[in-house]
Amino acid sequence: MRVIEIDNDLVRNQLIINQAIEQTVLIPDRKDAFKFMYESGGRPRNVKVTICHNANRRGAGIRLTIGRGGDASSPVTPWERPPRMKTDIESQIRIQRDTLQQLKRDLNDAENNFRQLQADLEKCKQALERHRRQERDLRLQSQRADERAERLRDELEVDTPKDGTLDALQALLREAEEENEQHSHSYQDAVVAKDRLGQLGKQLKDE
């Protein structure tokens, strides 16, 4: 109530009745406001509401209250229409200029962030394409290993132990099966990596 200059008792009484201005505290810094309301060893005397600035949004605020349901906070949206009370025009112009400069900085930050996200997305696309090629190569290698193992099984069935090739063919078969298993694991790893990159790429693309 000490902030506003009021020369009409009716106006003052209406603001007290409807807005409780005599029990409302204005504190610029949010941390200081929280300490005053909630960390001062009990509810401040004759205080219902504390309003502070929102550091993340110029012109906006935060309303802190203590009620029967406990502590609560709610946003105070910026007033973007003409002033409802008599104010200093020069100070209003200065505030709007500061707001405009802040918005320009916010826009520049957003554009830089957007460009960075685009670059990250392009890198993910390239990595995804590499993994797709690797997946195709590993699939082909796996198919060739399967064919080789099948040929060795066929040779093992027609050969007899007499000619001394059984042990050699069994060794080759084990080698081919191990190679096939390695290619299979590599293929599965590539599939998992591709799916992960696909999800990351989609997330970055959405952003």
Side-chain angles (χ1 to χ4, degrees):
M1 187 169 62
R2 292 194 300 268
V3 175
I4 308 174
E5 296 180 4
I6 305 174
D7 56 13
N8 187 301
D9 292 338
L10 181 60
V11 172
R12 178 186 292 104
N13 293 338
Q14 287 299 314
L15 289 174
I16 291 174
I17 294 172
N18 296 322
Q19 304 297 331
I21 63 172
E22 86 288 4
Q23 296 182 358
T24 299
V25 178
L26 304 177
I27 299 178
D29 185 74
R30 179 177 179 177
K31 292 182 179 179
D32 293 339
F34 268 80
K35 289 180 181 179
F36 174 77
M37 284 293 284
Y38 306 132
E39 299 177 7
S40 57
R43 175 176 175 174
R45 185 179 179 183
N46 297 327
V47 175
K48 288 185 176 180
V49 178
T50 294
I51 299 177
C52 60
H53 289 303
N54 185 341
N56 298 322
R57 185 182 179 190
R58 188 172 183 83
I62 300 174
R63 180 185 179 92
L64 308 177
T65 59
I66 300 177
R68 295 180 180 179
D71 304 342
S73 64
S74 58
V76 179
T77 57
W79 181 259
E80 298 176 346
R81 288 180 283 175
R84 292 174 291 183
M85 292 186 294
K86 184 179 179 180
T87 59
D88 181 11
I89 298 300
E90 290 298 326
S91 66
Q92 289 297 315
I93 293 175
R94 185 174 61 256
I95 291 173
Q96 293 303 320
R97 285 175 177 170
D98 292 343
T99 301
L100 178 60
Q101 291 301 319
Q102 182 61 46
L103 290 173
K104 288 181 178 179
R105 289 191 292 268
D106 293 343
L107 175 60
N108 185 63
D109 292 342
E111 289 175 342
N112 291 336
N113 186 49
F114 177 69
R115 285 191 291 269
Q116 182 61 48
L117 288 174
Q118 280 186 316
D120 293 342
L121 177 60
E122 187 61 31
K123 290 179 181 178
C124 283
K125 287 181 177 179
Q126 295 173 359
L128 183 59
E129 183 58 31
R130 288 195 300 269
H131 277 276
R132 284 173 177 167
R133 290 195 298 267
Q134 183 182 11
E135 179 188 1
R136 290 192 294 268
D137 293 341
L138 290 173
R139 187 187 299 115
L140 182 59
Q141 294 177 22
S142 179
Q143 292 173 351
R144 290 174 179 172
D146 285 337
E147 294 172 356
R148 183 185 177 196
E150 188 63 28
R151 287 197 305 271
L152 290 174
R153 289 192 187 95
D154 294 340
E155 292 176 9
L156 185 60
E157 290 179 358
V158 299
D159 286 336
T160 62
K162 297 178 182 180
D163 58 11
T165 60
L166 179 59
D167 293 338
L169 288 174
Q170 286 179 334
L172 288 174
L173 177 60
R174 287 192 297 271
E175 179 183 349
E177 289 176 341
E178 291 174 358
E179 183 179 354
N180 181 42
E181 184 177 0
Q182 291 176 357
H183 287 314
S184 177
H185 290 163
S186 297
Y187 173 74
Q188 292 297 326
D189 292 341
V191 170
V192 172
K194 186 190 77 171
D195 292 342
R196 179 177 58 81
L197 285 171
Q199 293 175 358
L200 180 58
K202 181 179 183 302
Q203 178 182 350
L204 288 172
K205 186 175 182 181
D206 291 341
E207 293 182 8

